Amino acid sequence: MAGGGFSKLPNGTVVVAVTLPRPTAEGGTVRVLVHSANRARALTRLRNLGLRAVYLRGNANPPTLDEITAVLHHPDGLLWRTTPECREQLWQPIRALLRPPAPAH
């Protein structure tokens, strides 16, 4: 895993950020943000979506304040975008990453 980390919020919840290989054929990496009650539940949410080999070792790359704000304002509490971060690219819901590609006509 390229990097990851977490931030504990004042209300006791955590925001976990991990950089993972992109699960589609395009390759590259994505930065995934998860808001959850604790670190274990955050990783379980990702594993339940099919991202089985997700582990958080250490706190080398915790989420930035902008990332925390983005995930807290999203109803699902699960976002992603490609890395390295492009300022023009917006955070997207996790279902956009896991959706199968549209067939070419």
Side-chain angles (χ1 to χ4, degrees):
M1 183 181 315
F6 67 95
S7 290
K8 190 162 185 162
L9 303 177
N11 65 358
T13 61
V14 297
V15 173
V16 174
V18 291
T19 303
L20 304 169
R22 191 171 183 147
T24 59
E26 295 120 24
T29 59
V30 294
R31 178 90 162 165
V32 179
L33 303 175
V34 184
H35 179 233
S36 190
N38 56 45
R39 285 180 288 173
R41 285 191 180 178
L43 296 176
T44 299
R45 287 184 74 186
L46 290 174
R47 290 182 188 125
N48 288 343
L49 292 170
L51 303 170
R52 299 286 180 209
V54 177
Y55 296 97
L56 185 62
R57 294 189 175 102
N59 199 16
N61 288 339
T64 64
L65 293 177
D66 289 338
E67 290 175 333
I68 292 171
T69 301
V71 76
L72 289 178
H73 285 89
H74 192 273
D76 292 339
L78 252 162
L79 299 173
W80 72 278
R81 76 175 168 191
T82 57
T83 55
E85 286 86 17
C86 175
R87 295 293 175 199
E88 294 82 35
Q89 184 184 16
L90 300 175
W91 289 99
Q92 300 178 38
I94 198 73
R95 64 184 165 269
L97 177 66
L98 302 174
R99 152 182 342 142
H105 293 281

